[in-house]
Amino acid sequence: MLFATVASSPTFGGKLDSLDDSPTRSIKGVHHVVTIRAQEFDVGGYKLHLDDAVAVVAENTWAAQQGLAALEPAWDRGPNQHLGMDDIVHALEAASERGGLVARHEGDVDKALSTAATRLEARNYMPFLAHAAMEPLSCVADVRGDNCEIWTATQVQARAQEIAAQLAGLPPEKVTVHNLFSGGAFGRRLELDGVALAVAISKQVGAPVKLVFTREQDIRHDLYRPFYHDRLRAGLDANGKLLAWHHRIVGSSIFARWAPQAMRSDGLDPDAVDGAIQMPYAFPNLLVEYVREEPPAIPTAFWRGVGDTHNAWVIESFVDEIAAVAKQDPIQFRRGLLSHAPRALAVINLAAEKSRWDKILPPRSGRGIALAYVFDTYLATVVEVTLSDAGLVTLQRVVCAVDCGSIVHPDTAIAQIEGGTLFGLSAALWNEVTLRNGRVEQSNFNDYRTIRIDETPEVEVHLVPSRETPGGLGETGTVAAAPALTNAIFAASGYRVRQLPIIKSIEGLKRRA
């Protein structure tokens, strides 16, 4: 077996112009320098694009990495070489002016808004996110004349087999997939760029090849959680009762590329509106719309919590804002919208009790609440924070109340909520993928950072005994983390976070020091 490492075009859609591989070939242990041209795959509607790439194949990973560092490829940066974040945001904002596909409609929102005593509007922005798996993508491929074997960790074995077959020029039954345990970042394991590259390299060199992505390749050539722009409107009567709710979601469609057969016939992406159309709250007049706007060349994919992670932050932030305008306690306001949803009401009440919601906190400290109904699980999360005069956020405590139906193993249930919550808090505080001149700026944990042990708060998880059908837990904690955190920041400072990550709001938080 040989070992490979790979570098793809630094800009989306770029091409390999020329390659001086003489410095690389002089490194001890290097056997091959391989070029891979851009390719498109379609497996039952699933579409995957590979940009031009170069790979170094060697006797060991160290030699391959040293060979890649010495390589001097010249790239034609292609049509997206000037693409930046302003271009993407402006396109989303322009698209938000259009009416969208109706995902859910009840009552007469426009009429209710026209008669409302108080009207509110908000715009929220959620960034591209990488998966940043602790275990980057890896695959061993062995392409022979009449068969192919691959060893990898994938969530989609049949698709892996089909893509390997296309590359190897073999019928699918001649490809064997050995599926391995996976080091997390599910969603990333739904994509097959690592498999495709490994098979392409093995076919060219005529030997089994182990390809391991570097951290930089994994982050700069991920398939990203979409950038979303949301517009919301609400109306209240003179007594602070909610009359109307209008939510317009603007962003990329993951299902259009990943499983177009799952799209509604008119083009509505069910993932984009997930969590926005099955809220536990009772709104008398409700309109949820979706506007599809694709960023140029940037591939988008599922990320932990999928559509619910995005929509929960937007919805729970706006519900909190409405409660503040109505001069009501955030939990009490939610209770008024949950009389028909006893399980949701129960987790709200349990979270309030266990977090000691009514206990007065010192200045520049606050608690925030978020409710989620996702994957047939009810979750209420309370986050407690303190803000420094410099605008930095310290996580003090997290309390989660969970009704996930029948529980098979309580310790596992608690661990899933703890891990998912910390993952969501980390992303909300710091994580984003940005583009400058057509390329991803982040590369490793120094600029795509994760929460550290000395920043990790106590996380209490309280499970509700239940005989209901079991619900999901692996992504649930992530969903509620960001809104509970940003609502806590508002309670501590009066500053409403409308753009993630929170680090972008540090100037606003300083002004309230």
mmCIF file of all heavy atoms in Angstrom, residues 4 8 50 65 79 82 100 104 133 220 275 279 426 451 453 474 480:
data_model
loop_
_atom_site.group_PDB
_atom_site.id
_atom_site.type_symbol
_atom_site.label_atom_id
_atom_site.label_comp_id
_atom_site.label_asym_id
_atom_site.label_seq_id
_atom_site.Cartn_x
_atom_site.Cartn_y
_atom_site.Cartn_z
ATOM 1 N N ALA A 4 -1.139 8.710 0.132
ATOM 2 C CA ALA A 4 -1.327 9.896 -0.709
ATOM 3 C C ALA A 4 -1.857 11.047 0.114
ATOM 4 O O ALA A 4 -2.577 10.865 1.101
ATOM 5 C CB ALA A 4 -2.278 9.591 -1.856
ATOM 6 N N SER A 8 -6.490 20.394 -3.751
ATOM 7 C CA SER A 8 -7.419 20.792 -4.813
ATOM 8 C C SER A 8 -7.226 22.260 -5.161
ATOM 9 O O SER A 8 -6.553 23.007 -4.440
ATOM 10 C CB SER A 8 -8.858 20.547 -4.356
ATOM 11 O OG SER A 8 -9.080 19.179 -4.091
ATOM 12 N N LEU A 50 -15.894 17.549 -8.437
ATOM 13 C CA LEU A 50 -14.505 17.627 -8.002
ATOM 14 C C LEU A 50 -13.783 18.662 -8.842
ATOM 15 O O LEU A 50 -13.846 18.605 -10.081
ATOM 16 C CB LEU A 50 -13.794 16.283 -8.158
ATOM 17 C CG LEU A 50 -14.253 15.104 -7.300
ATOM 18 C CD1 LEU A 50 -13.365 13.901 -7.572
ATOM 19 C CD2 LEU A 50 -14.252 15.450 -5.823
ATOM 20 N N GLN A 65 3.318 14.162 2.468
ATOM 21 C CA GLN A 65 3.059 15.542 2.887
ATOM 22 C C GLN A 65 4.240 16.453 2.561
ATOM 23 O O GLN A 65 4.046 17.602 2.126
ATOM 24 C CB GLN A 65 2.754 15.578 4.385
ATOM 25 C CG GLN A 65 1.408 14.959 4.729
ATOM 26 C CD GLN A 65 1.116 14.971 6.218
ATOM 27 O OE1 GLN A 65 2.022 15.114 7.040
ATOM 28 N NE2 GLN A 65 -0.148 14.803 6.582
ATOM 29 N N PRO A 79 -13.446 31.412 -12.873
ATOM 30 C CA PRO A 79 -14.474 32.463 -12.910
ATOM 31 C C PRO A 79 -14.845 33.054 -11.563
ATOM 32 O O PRO A 79 -15.499 34.098 -11.507
ATOM 33 C CB PRO A 79 -15.673 31.739 -13.532
ATOM 34 C CG PRO A 79 -15.469 30.301 -13.172
ATOM 35 C CD PRO A 79 -13.980 30.083 -13.217
ATOM 36 N N HIS A 82 -12.720 36.442 -7.959
ATOM 37 C CA HIS A 82 -12.970 37.702 -7.237
ATOM 38 C C HIS A 82 -14.134 37.580 -6.250
ATOM 39 O O HIS A 82 -14.524 38.588 -5.638
ATOM 40 C CB HIS A 82 -13.253 38.829 -8.234
ATOM 41 C CG HIS A 82 -12.138 39.056 -9.208
ATOM 42 N ND1 HIS A 82 -10.864 39.398 -8.812
ATOM 43 C CD2 HIS A 82 -12.112 38.963 -10.568
ATOM 44 C CE1 HIS A 82 -10.091 39.527 -9.877
ATOM 45 N NE2 HIS A 82 -10.804 39.258 -10.948
ATOM 46 N N GLY A 100 -41.529 34.057 -1.689
ATOM 47 C CA GLY A 100 -40.978 32.712 -1.772
ATOM 48 C C GLY A 100 -42.043 31.651 -1.944
ATOM 49 O O GLY A 100 -43.252 31.941 -2.007
ATOM 50 N N ARG A 104 -45.807 26.948 4.738
ATOM 51 C CA ARG A 104 -46.941 26.805 5.642
ATOM 52 C C ARG A 104 -47.684 28.134 5.690
ATOM 53 O O ARG A 104 -47.058 29.191 5.769
ATOM 54 C CB ARG A 104 -46.471 26.406 7.042
ATOM 55 C CG ARG A 104 -47.613 26.153 8.031
ATOM 56 C CD ARG A 104 -47.090 25.708 9.386
ATOM 57 N NE ARG A 104 -48.162 25.644 10.377
ATOM 58 C CZ ARG A 104 -47.986 25.435 11.672
ATOM 59 N NH1 ARG A 104 -46.762 25.241 12.146
ATOM 60 N NH2 ARG A 104 -49.011 25.394 12.508
ATOM 61 N N ALA A 133 -14.151 17.837 11.221
ATOM 62 C CA ALA A 133 -14.124 16.569 11.953
ATOM 63 C C ALA A 133 -12.781 16.380 12.640
ATOM 64 O O ALA A 133 -11.739 16.701 12.085
ATOM 65 C CB ALA A 133 -14.365 15.412 10.986
ATOM 66 N N ARG A 220 -10.838 23.621 3.783
ATOM 67 C CA ARG A 220 -10.914 24.493 2.606
ATOM 68 C C ARG A 220 -11.654 23.857 1.430
ATOM 69 O O ARG A 220 -12.015 24.556 0.479
ATOM 70 C CB ARG A 220 -9.507 24.898 2.174
ATOM 71 C CG ARG A 220 -8.879 25.919 3.097
ATOM 72 C CD ARG A 220 -7.487 26.306 2.668
ATOM 73 N NE ARG A 220 -7.014 27.450 3.439
ATOM 74 C CZ ARG A 220 -5.734 27.760 3.608
ATOM 75 N NH1 ARG A 220 -4.792 26.992 3.056
ATOM 76 N NH2 ARG A 220 -5.381 28.817 4.309
ATOM 77 N N GLY A 275 -38.094 22.679 10.992
ATOM 78 C CA GLY A 275 -38.102 23.398 12.261
ATOM 79 C C GLY A 275 -38.887 24.691 12.206
ATOM 80 O O GLY A 275 -39.315 25.203 13.248
ATOM 81 N N MET A 279 -43.221 24.166 14.382
ATOM 82 C CA MET A 279 -42.975 24.752 15.695
ATOM 83 C C MET A 279 -44.042 24.292 16.691
ATOM 84 O O MET A 279 -45.197 24.082 16.305
ATOM 85 C CB MET A 279 -43.010 26.276 15.594
ATOM 86 C CG MET A 279 -41.917 26.886 14.766
ATOM 87 S SD MET A 279 -42.093 28.682 14.674
ATOM 88 C CE MET A 279 -43.577 28.846 13.682
ATOM 89 N N SER A 426 -20.025 26.167 20.588
ATOM 90 C CA SER A 426 -18.750 26.466 19.935
ATOM 91 C C SER A 426 -18.973 27.140 18.590
ATOM 92 O O SER A 426 -18.357 28.163 18.263
ATOM 93 C CB SER A 426 -17.957 25.168 19.765
ATOM 94 O OG SER A 426 -16.661 25.417 19.302
ATOM 95 N N ILE A 451 -14.448 25.007 21.138
ATOM 96 C CA ILE A 451 -14.446 25.315 22.561
ATOM 97 C C ILE A 451 -13.372 24.498 23.269
ATOM 98 O O ILE A 451 -13.140 23.331 22.947
ATOM 99 C CB ILE A 451 -15.850 25.056 23.160
ATOM 100 C CG1 ILE A 451 -16.005 25.736 24.511
ATOM 101 C CG2 ILE A 451 -16.159 23.574 23.223
ATOM 102 C CD1 ILE A 451 -17.434 25.795 25.003
ATOM 103 N N ILE A 453 -11.324 23.225 26.971
ATOM 104 C CA ILE A 453 -11.819 22.662 28.225
ATOM 105 C C ILE A 453 -11.977 23.736 29.302
ATOM 106 O O ILE A 453 -12.904 23.678 30.122
ATOM 107 C CB ILE A 453 -10.908 21.505 28.698
ATOM 108 C CG1 ILE A 453 -11.622 20.697 29.773
ATOM 109 C CG2 ILE A 453 -9.546 22.006 29.169
ATOM 110 C CD1 ILE A 453 -10.974 19.357 30.070
ATOM 111 N N GLY A 474 -28.876 12.710 18.782
ATOM 112 C CA GLY A 474 -27.524 13.018 18.328
ATOM 113 C C GLY A 474 -27.339 14.450 17.864
ATOM 114 O O GLY A 474 -26.241 14.989 17.939
ATOM 115 N N ALA A 480 -30.647 23.677 19.974
ATOM 116 C CA ALA A 480 -31.102 24.685 20.941
ATOM 117 C C ALA A 480 -29.978 25.533 21.516
ATOM 118 O O ALA A 480 -30.244 26.539 22.189
ATOM 119 C CB ALA A 480 -31.851 23.997 22.075
#
